[in-house]
């Protein structure tokens, strides 16, 4: 069967902990979208591993696949693999030959576009991670991308570079009006020979290590053989390029449909499995865009946001940026549950909310005299939404390890009421509750692989 793990909010819901936990029961862990804009920390045997591209299951020895829907920065990939090897692990990572490659010029262009947008004061910069994600997906859709398979064929690689690189130079010089010599990394980033040398060598290494795969074919065979496949979504529903808060989105589809498209395992196979939405018990957002329940209205709210940010460690794994904080927003969760067809949810960071003076949940929005139960389709309308809140009882801090050991009933009563309220509002059962950062600090009600 398959299990697809999806971020229900804006990324950083703590998907890694569940992927890590349930990944132990999987035979293959597949990432189906995004690239090294993701960030997850895996704690295994007391050691901490920070990964942004390698699927987290690889730390445990499970085969990790980067599907065709991913954009792969081979420099990051090899740095992470080499680091894991130095630390005594032997990660088995395969990369789809149909996946697109993040080239150095994509990262440079990501930075330039953000700077240009920031400079014009129109407030339209996205706050990207600067990893070149958007420019790489643009080239994919524009049919001028370089795919992993091209790295294996030096002649094809040269031909593609000779087509793409002059366009990128022209973009920098003629559209952005910059002198290429003033742009960081310019020597290699816009030089066909230098790029060819580096990326053909990367292709050789991928081939030598047998790391490339026909993802669809591979997964189809594993699935037919009865193997358990876990799809590890990165980012979250509300930064999905189709279903998120456009244009403050990433350029891929973190929602569950992306698992089929981004891996080549058929929709009926993916849809026949479980789809678990990962929910943070409050909201965090890195980057720009609306956040109706943001705690930034006055000094008291800002102090509360600071408290939650510190307790929850809400600083970007990839960028280190402090995350914006808000109350849990049910219209966002209803949208997420519908788009991906959640069969269950896991609610994380329930420990972080312990000990607060007040606790609110947004149950709907008021907009232009109407009450909405879901997120409007435009940024402008979402920005103007006034949250409707329900105030719930707070709970005292508890011993996470003891609760994780004893099970759901050991949670404080008010925490259980909170979880049951959320589950009823989105009509989806709670499969797991995160009560601390360690893998063990999860209360499991249902293991989706045993459903
Ligand atoms: P990009 O994916 O780097 O293009 O960034 C686009 C938007 O998605 C920005 O608002 C980023 O902050 C956000 N984003 C990208 N990856 C993540 C993630 O893993 N967690 C949270 N936000 C992310």
């Amino acid at each position: 069967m398959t299990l697809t793990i999806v971020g229900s909010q804006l990324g950083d819901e703590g998907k890694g902990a569940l992927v890590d936990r349930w990944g132990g029961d999987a035979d293959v862990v597949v990432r189906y979208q995004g690239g090294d804009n993701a960030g997850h920390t895996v704690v295994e045997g007391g050691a901490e591993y920070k990964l942004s591209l390698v699927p987290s299951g690889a730390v445990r020895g499970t085969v990790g696949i980067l599907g065709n829907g991913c954009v792969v920065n081979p420099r990051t990939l090899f740095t992470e693999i080499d680091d894991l090897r130095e630390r005594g692990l032997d990660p088995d990572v395969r990369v789809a030959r149909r996946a697109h490659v993040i080239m150095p010029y994509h990262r440079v262009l990501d930075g330039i576009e953000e700077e240009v947008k920031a400079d014009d004061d129109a407030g339209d910069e996205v706050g990207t991670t600067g990893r070149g994600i958007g420019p790489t997906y643009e080239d994919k859709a524009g049919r001028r991308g370089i795919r992993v398979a091209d790295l294996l064929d030096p002649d094809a690689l040269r031909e593609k570079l000779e087509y793409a690189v002059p366009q990128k130079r022209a973009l920098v010089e003629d559209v952005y009006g910059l002198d290429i010599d003033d742009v960081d990394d310019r020597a290699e980033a816009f030089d066909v020979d230098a790029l060819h040398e580096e990326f053909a060598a990367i292709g050789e290494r991928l081939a030598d290590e047998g790391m490339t795969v026909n993802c669809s074919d591979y997964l189809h065979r594993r699935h037919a053989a009865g193997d358990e496949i876990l799809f590890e979504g990165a980012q979250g529903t509300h930064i999905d390029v189709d279903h998120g808060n456009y244009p403050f989105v990433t350029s891929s589809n973190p929602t569950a449909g992306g698992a089929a498209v981004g891996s080549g395992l058929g929709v009926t196979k993916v849809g026949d499995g479980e789809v678990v939405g990962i929910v943070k018990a409050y909201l965090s957002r890195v980057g720009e865009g609306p956040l109706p329940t943001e705690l930034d209205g006055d000094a008291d709210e800002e102090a509360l946001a600071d408290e939650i940010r510190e307790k929850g460690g809400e600083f970007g794994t990839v960028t280190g940026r402090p995350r914006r904080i808000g109350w849990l927003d049910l219209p966002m969760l209803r949208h997420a549950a519908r788009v991906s067809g959640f069969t269950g949810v896991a609610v994380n960071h329930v420990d972080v909310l312990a000990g607060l003076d007040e606790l609110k949940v947004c149950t709907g929005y008021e907009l232009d005299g109407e009450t909405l139960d879901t997120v409007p389709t435009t940024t402008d309308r979402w920005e103007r939404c006034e949250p409707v809140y329900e105030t719930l009882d707070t709970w005292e801090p508890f011993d996470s390890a003891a609760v994780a050991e004893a099970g759901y009933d050991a949670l404080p009563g008010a925490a259980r009421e909170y979880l049951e309220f959320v589950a009823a509002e989105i009509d989806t059962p709670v499969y797991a509750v995160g009560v601390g950062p360690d893998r063990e600090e999860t209360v499991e009600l249902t293991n989706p692989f045993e459903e």
Side-chain angles (χ1 to χ4, degrees):
M1 70 162 276
T2 71
L3 163 61
T4 304
I5 300 271
V6 174
S8 305
Q9 293 146 325
L10 293 146
D12 310 315
E13 299 90 351
K15 295 177 286 294
L18 279 313
V19 169
D20 192 27
R21 185 182 183 92
W22 291 327
D25 294 324
D27 300 297
V28 186
V29 177
V30 188
R31 278 199 51 188
Y32 54 88
Q33 45 73 232
D36 55 345
N37 49 347
H40 41 252
T41 307
V42 183
V43 182
E44 171 74 15
E48 195 177 86
Y49 303 91
K50 284 197 183 301
L51 301 170
S52 62
L53 189 57
V54 167
S56 27
V59 168
R60 301 259 215 98
T62 311
V63 180
I65 310 267
L66 297 172
N68 53 273
C70 292
V71 286
V72 179
N73 184 330
R75 291 178 177 172
T76 311
L77 178 65
F78 286 133
T79 303
E80 289 186 0
I81 289 177
D82 291 344
D83 182 48
L84 291 174
R85 283 188 184 153
E86 257 171 45
R87 296 175 68 181
L89 301 179
D90 185 19
D92 184 350
V93 181
R94 324 267 175 101
V95 189
R97 287 193 281 275
R98 288 188 166 97
H100 280 248
V101 180
I102 301 182
M103 301 299 289
Y105 48 79
H106 290 128
R107 281 180 75 129
V108 176
L109 289 166
D110 195 358
I112 294 177
E113 182 152 9
E114 284 284 287
E115 266 172 43
V116 168
K117 284 183 171 172
D119 285 350
D120 72 9
D121 282 338
D124 53 2
E125 70 269 26
V126 175
T128 72
T129 59
R131 298 294 191 266
I133 306 297
T136 308
Y137 280 114
E138 275 178 47
D139 278 356
K140 168 178 172 171
R143 294 162 296 215
R144 69 185 85 82
I146 292 177
R147 305 202 298 178
V148 167
D150 298 323
L151 305 184
L152 307 176
D153 178 343
D155 294 336
L157 176 62
R158 177 164 288 278
E159 206 176 299
K160 305 232 155 158
L161 287 170
E162 281 173 354
Y163 179 74
V165 174
Q167 290 191 14
K168 304 302 169 195
R169 292 185 79 97
L171 193 56
V172 173
E173 292 174 336
D174 302 339
V175 176
Y176 293 117
L178 299 172
D179 185 339
I180 215 132
D181 293 328
D182 293 337
V183 173
D184 290 346
D185 291 342
R186 69 202 178 272
E188 316 102 64
F190 296 89
D191 178 324
V192 171
D193 289 336
L195 288 169
H196 188 264
E197 193 181 329
E198 179 181 354
F199 283 81
I202 285 168
E204 265 179 45
R205 179 167 173 189
L206 287 168
D208 285 350
E209 298 195 17
M211 283 177 64
T212 71
V213 71
N214 176 336
C215 190
S216 174
D217 184 55
Y218 179 84
L219 291 181
H220 176 80
R221 286 170 197 277
R222 299 289 309 244
H223 189 265
D227 287 330
E228 310 276 29
I229 299 174
L230 186 148
F231 289 102
E232 174 178 359
Q235 291 87 41
T237 302
H238 295 272
I239 52 174
D240 180 294
V241 68
D242 284 278
H243 301 288
N245 166 223
Y246 194 89
F248 300 104
V249 292
T250 192
S251 303
S252 66
N253 292 117
T255 46
V261 177
S263 74
L265 190 68
V267 284
T268 44
K269 305 286 187 309
V270 175
D272 204 25
E274 293 270 336
V275 179
V276 178
I278 311 301
V279 175
K280 189 181 274 186
Y282 48 90
L283 276 184
S284 70
R285 178 163 204 165
V286 2
E288 306 304 320
L291 194 61
T293 65
E294 185 162 14
L295 287 163
D296 65 347
D298 56 29
D300 285 350
E301 285 197 352
E302 278 171 20
L304 186 54
D306 284 343
E307 184 184 339
I308 294 174
R309 186 179 299 112
E310 286 302 323
K311 271 165 76 179
E314 297 296 350
F315 300 88
T317 319
V318 175
T319 58
R321 290 182 283 181
R323 297 179 185 143
R324 299 156 62 197
I325 305 292
W327 292 123
L328 187 71
D329 183 316
L330 293 175
M332 287 174 71
L333 287 190
R334 285 187 198 104
H335 178 60
R338 289 167 188 168
V339 170
S340 288
F342 292 161
T343 53
V345 289
V347 185
N348 279 329
H349 291 245
V350 167
D351 53 313
V352 175
L353 293 183
L356 297 184
D357 291 336
E358 67 164 341
L359 180 61
K360 291 200 219 172
V361 178
C362 165
T363 54
Y365 303 134
E366 294 288 349
L367 178 67
D368 300 334
E370 261 184 278
T371 305
L372 307 181
D373 81 344
T374 192
V375 179
T377 51
T378 67
T379 294
D380 166 61
R381 280 170 56 79
W382 196 27
E383 212 153 35
R384 291 192 292 107
C385 282
E386 282 300 326
V388 178
Y389 286 113
E390 179 130 346
T391 300
L392 300 185
D393 288 343
T394 56
W395 55 90
E396 289 304 310
F398 53 87
D399 178 341
S400 295
V403 167
E405 170 111 27
Y408 184 74
D409 289 338
L411 276 167
R416 278 181 278 130
E417 276 165 31
Y418 184 82
L419 293 163
E420 283 151 26
F421 178 76
V422 172
E425 288 281 326
I426 61 171
D427 199 17
T428 309
V430 175
Y431 278 9
V433 185
V435 291
D438 289 350
R439 174 157 28 106
E440 305 309 324
E441 291 173 326
T442 300
V443 177
E444 186 176 284
L445 291 90
T446 301
N447 179 334
F449 276 124
E450 287 167 8
E451 270 299 274

